[in-house]
CSV table of all heavy atoms in Angstrom, one decimal:
chain,number,residue,atom,x,y,z
A,1,PRO,N,86.4,-24.0,2.8
A,1,PRO,CA,86.2,-24.9,1.7
A,1,PRO,C,87.1,-24.4,0.5
A,1,PRO,O,87.5,-23.3,0.4
A,1,PRO,CB,84.7,-24.8,1.4
A,1,PRO,CG,84.3,-23.5,2.0
A,1,PRO,CD,85.2,-23.3,3.2
A,2,SER,N,87.3,-25.3,-0.5
A,2,SER,CA,88.0,-24.9,-1.7
A,2,SER,C,87.1,-23.9,-2.4
A,2,SER,O,85.9,-23.8,-2.2
A,2,SER,CB,88.2,-26.2,-2.6
A,2,SER,OG,87.0,-26.7,-3.0
A,3,PRO,N,87.8,-23.1,-3.3
A,3,PRO,CA,87.0,-22.1,-4.0
A,3,PRO,C,85.7,-22.6,-4.7
A,3,PRO,O,84.7,-21.9,-4.7
A,3,PRO,CB,88.0,-21.5,-5.0
A,3,PRO,CG,89.3,-21.8,-4.5
A,3,PRO,CD,89.1,-23.1,-3.7
A,4,GLY,N,85.7,-23.7,-5.2
A,4,GLY,CA,84.5,-24.3,-5.9
A,4,GLY,C,83.4,-24.6,-4.9
A,4,GLY,O,82.3,-24.7,-5.2
A,5,ALA,N,83.8,-24.7,-3.6
A,5,ALA,CA,82.8,-25.1,-2.6
A,5,ALA,C,82.3,-23.9,-1.8
A,5,ALA,O,81.7,-24.0,-0.8
A,5,ALA,CB,83.4,-26.2,-1.7
A,6,ARG,N,82.7,-22.7,-2.2
A,6,ARG,CA,82.3,-21.5,-1.4
A,6,ARG,C,80.8,-21.3,-1.4
A,6,ARG,O,80.2,-21.2,-2.4
A,6,ARG,CB,83.0,-20.3,-2.0
A,6,ARG,CG,82.7,-19.1,-1.2
A,6,ARG,CD,83.6,-17.9,-1.5
A,6,ARG,NE,83.2,-16.9,-0.6
A,6,ARG,CZ,83.9,-15.8,-0.4
A,6,ARG,NH1,85.0,-15.6,-1.1
A,6,ARG,NH2,83.5,-14.9,0.5
A,7,PRO,N,80.3,-21.2,-0.2
A,7,PRO,CA,78.9,-21.0,0.0
A,7,PRO,C,78.5,-19.5,-0.4
A,7,PRO,O,79.2,-18.6,-0.1
A,7,PRO,CB,78.6,-21.2,1.4
A,7,PRO,CG,79.9,-21.3,2.1
A,7,PRO,CD,81.0,-21.4,1.1
A,8,THR,N,77.4,-19.4,-1.1
A,8,THR,CA,76.9,-18.0,-1.4
A,8,THR,C,75.4,-17.9,-1.2
A,8,THR,O,74.7,-18.8,-1.3
A,8,THR,CB,77.2,-17.7,-2.9
A,8,THR,OG1,76.5,-18.7,-3.7
A,8,THR,CG2,78.6,-17.8,-3.3
A,9,GLY,N,75.0,-16.7,-0.8
A,9,GLY,CA,73.6,-16.4,-0.7
A,9,GLY,C,72.9,-17.3,0.4
A,9,GLY,O,73.5,-17.5,1.4
A,10,ARG,N,71.8,-17.7,0.0
A,10,ARG,CA,70.9,-18.4,0.9
A,10,ARG,C,71.0,-20.0,0.8
A,10,ARG,O,70.1,-20.7,1.2
A,10,ARG,CB,69.5,-18.0,0.7
A,10,ARG,CG,69.2,-16.6,1.0
A,10,ARG,CD,69.3,-16.2,2.5
A,10,ARG,NE,68.3,-17.1,3.2
A,10,ARG,CZ,68.5,-17.6,4.4
A,10,ARG,NH1,69.7,-17.5,5.0
A,10,ARG,NH2,67.6,-18.4,4.9
A,11,GLU,N,72.1,-20.4,0.1
A,11,GLU,CA,72.3,-21.8,0.1
A,11,GLU,C,73.8,-22.2,0.1
A,11,GLU,O,74.6,-21.3,-0.1
A,11,GLU,CB,71.6,-22.5,-1.1
A,11,GLU,CG,72.4,-22.3,-2.4
A,11,GLU,CD,71.6,-23.0,-3.6
A,11,GLU,OE1,71.6,-24.2,-3.6
A,11,GLU,OE2,71.1,-22.2,-4.4
A,12,VAL,N,74.1,-23.4,0.4
A,12,VAL,CA,75.4,-23.9,0.4
A,12,VAL,C,75.5,-24.9,-0.8
A,12,VAL,O,74.7,-25.8,-0.8
A,12,VAL,CB,75.8,-24.5,1.7
A,12,VAL,CG1,77.2,-25.1,1.6
A,12,VAL,CG2,75.8,-23.5,2.9
A,13,ARG,N,76.5,-24.7,-1.7
A,13,ARG,CA,76.7,-25.6,-2.8
A,13,ARG,C,78.1,-26.1,-2.7
A,13,ARG,O,79.0,-25.4,-2.6
A,13,ARG,CB,76.5,-24.9,-4.1
A,13,ARG,CG,75.2,-24.4,-4.5
A,13,ARG,CD,75.2,-23.7,-5.8
A,13,ARG,NE,73.8,-23.3,-6.1
A,13,ARG,CZ,73.0,-23.9,-7.0
A,13,ARG,NH1,73.4,-24.9,-7.6
A,13,ARG,NH2,71.8,-23.4,-7.2
A,14,ILE,N,78.2,-27.5,-2.7
A,14,ILE,CA,79.5,-28.1,-2.7
A,14,ILE,C,79.6,-29.0,-3.9
A,14,ILE,O,78.9,-30.0,-4.0
A,14,ILE,CB,79.7,-29.0,-1.4
A,14,ILE,CG1,79.4,-28.2,-0.1
A,14,ILE,CG2,81.1,-29.5,-1.4
A,14,ILE,CD1,79.4,-29.0,1.1
A,15,PRO,N,80.3,-28.5,-4.9
A,15,PRO,CA,80.4,-29.3,-6.2
A,15,PRO,C,81.1,-30.7,-6.0
A,15,PRO,O,81.9,-30.8,-5.1
A,15,PRO,CB,81.2,-28.4,-7.1
A,15,PRO,CG,81.1,-27.0,-6.5
A,15,PRO,CD,81.0,-27.3,-5.0
A,16,ALA,N,80.7,-31.6,-6.9
A,16,ALA,CA,81.5,-32.9,-6.9
A,16,ALA,C,82.9,-32.6,-7.0
A,16,ALA,O,83.3,-31.7,-7.8
A,16,ALA,CB,80.9,-33.8,-8.0
A,17,GLY,N,83.8,-33.4,-6.3
A,17,GLY,CA,85.2,-33.2,-6.4
A,17,GLY,C,85.8,-32.2,-5.4
A,17,GLY,O,87.0,-32.0,-5.3
A,18,SER,N,84.9,-31.5,-4.7
A,18,SER,CA,85.4,-30.5,-3.7
A,18,SER,C,86.1,-31.2,-2.6
A,18,SER,O,85.8,-32.2,-2.1
A,18,SER,CB,84.2,-29.7,-3.1
A,18,SER,OG,83.6,-28.9,-4.1
A,19,LEU,N,87.2,-30.5,-2.2
A,19,LEU,CA,88.0,-31.0,-1.1
A,19,LEU,C,87.4,-30.6,0.3
A,19,LEU,O,87.2,-29.5,0.5
A,19,LEU,CB,89.5,-30.5,-1.2
A,19,LEU,CG,90.5,-31.0,-0.2
A,19,LEU,CD1,90.7,-32.5,-0.3
A,19,LEU,CD2,91.8,-30.3,-0.3
A,20,LEU,N,87.2,-31.6,1.1
A,20,LEU,CA,86.8,-31.4,2.5
A,20,LEU,C,87.8,-32.1,3.4
A,20,LEU,O,88.5,-33.0,2.9
A,20,LEU,CB,85.4,-32.1,2.7
A,20,LEU,CG,84.2,-31.6,1.8
A,20,LEU,CD1,83.0,-32.4,2.1
A,20,LEU,CD2,84.0,-30.1,2.0
A,21,THR,N,87.9,-31.6,4.6
A,21,THR,CA,88.8,-32.3,5.6
A,21,THR,C,88.0,-32.9,6.7
A,21,THR,O,87.1,-32.3,7.2
A,21,THR,CB,89.8,-31.3,6.1
A,21,THR,OG1,89.2,-30.2,6.6
A,21,THR,CG2,90.8,-30.9,5.0
A,22,MET,N,88.4,-34.1,7.1
A,22,MET,CA,87.7,-34.7,8.2
A,22,MET,C,88.8,-34.9,9.3
A,22,MET,O,89.9,-35.3,9.0
A,22,MET,CB,87.0,-36.0,7.8
A,22,MET,CG,87.9,-37.1,7.2
A,22,MET,SD,86.9,-38.6,6.8
A,22,MET,CE,88.2,-39.7,6.4
A,23,LYS,N,88.4,-34.7,10.5
A,23,LYS,CA,89.4,-34.8,11.6
A,23,LYS,C,89.0,-36.0,12.5
A,23,LYS,O,87.8,-36.1,13.0
A,23,LYS,CB,89.4,-33.5,12.5
A,23,LYS,CG,90.3,-33.5,13.7
A,23,LYS,CD,90.2,-32.2,14.4
A,23,LYS,CE,91.1,-32.3,15.6
A,23,LYS,NZ,91.0,-31.0,16.4
A,24,LEU,N,89.9,-36.9,12.7
A,24,LEU,CA,89.7,-38.1,13.6
A,24,LEU,C,89.4,-37.7,15.0
A,24,LEU,O,90.2,-36.9,15.5
A,24,LEU,CB,90.8,-39.1,13.5
A,24,LEU,CG,91.1,-39.7,12.1
A,24,LEU,CD1,92.3,-40.7,12.3
A,24,LEU,CD2,89.9,-40.5,11.6
A,25,THR,N,88.4,-38.2,15.6
A,25,THR,CA,88.2,-38.0,17.1
A,25,THR,C,88.6,-39.2,17.9
A,25,THR,O,88.4,-39.1,19.1
A,25,THR,CB,86.7,-37.7,17.3
A,25,THR,OG1,85.9,-38.7,16.8
A,25,THR,CG2,86.3,-36.4,16.6
A,26,ALA,N,89.1,-40.2,17.3
A,26,ALA,CA,89.6,-41.4,18.0
A,26,ALA,C,90.7,-42.0,17.1
A,26,ALA,O,90.7,-41.9,15.9
A,26,ALA,CB,88.5,-42.4,18.2
A,27,ASN,N,91.6,-42.8,17.7
A,27,ASN,CA,92.6,-43.5,16.9
A,27,ASN,C,91.9,-44.4,15.9
A,27,ASN,O,90.9,-45.0,16.2
A,27,ASN,CB,93.5,-44.3,17.8
A,27,ASN,CG,94.5,-43.4,18.6
A,27,ASN,OD1,94.6,-42.3,18.4
A,27,ASN,ND2,95.2,-44.1,19.5
A,28,LEU,N,92.5,-44.6,14.7
A,28,LEU,CA,92.0,-45.4,13.7
A,28,LEU,C,93.1,-46.5,13.4
A,28,LEU,O,94.2,-46.2,13.0
A,28,LEU,CB,91.7,-44.7,12.4
A,28,LEU,CG,91.3,-45.4,11.2
A,28,LEU,CD1,90.0,-46.3,11.4
A,28,LEU,CD2,91.1,-44.5,10.0
A,29,THR,N,92.7,-47.8,13.6
A,29,THR,CA,93.7,-48.9,13.4
A,29,THR,C,93.3,-49.6,12.2
A,29,THR,O,92.1,-50.1,12.0
A,29,THR,CB,93.7,-49.8,14.6
A,29,THR,OG1,94.1,-49.1,15.8
A,29,THR,CG2,94.7,-51.0,14.4
A,30,ILE,N,94.2,-49.7,11.2
A,30,ILE,CA,94.0,-50.4,10.0
A,30,ILE,C,94.8,-51.7,10.0
A,30,ILE,O,96.0,-51.7,10.3
A,30,ILE,CB,94.4,-49.6,8.8
A,30,ILE,CG1,93.8,-48.2,8.8
A,30,ILE,CG2,94.2,-50.3,7.5
A,30,ILE,CD1,92.3,-48.2,8.6
A,31,GLU,N,94.2,-52.9,9.7
A,31,GLU,CA,95.0,-54.1,9.7
A,31,GLU,C,95.4,-54.4,8.2
A,31,GLU,O,94.5,-54.3,7.3
A,31,GLU,CB,94.1,-55.3,10.2
A,31,GLU,CG,93.9,-55.2,11.7
A,31,GLU,CD,93.3,-56.4,12.3
A,31,GLU,OE1,93.3,-57.5,11.6
A,31,GLU,OE2,92.8,-56.3,13.4
């Protein structure tokens, strides 16, 4: 995760605006 989204201690905090990546598991067709 981006530095702002680094988990610490006993919880995971992901601030608004944090960059995440999603990986497609199937082709995506846009019309």
Side-chain angles (χ1 to χ4, degrees):
S2 64
R6 184 168 181 165
T8 59
R10 296 289 304 141
E11 80 179 289
V12 175
R13 291 178 181 258
I14 308 173
S18 292
L19 181 65
L20 303 175
T21 54
M22 60 181 190
K23 181 179 175 184
L24 296 178
T25 58
N27 288 348
L28 173 60
T29 301
I30 306 292
E31 291 189 16

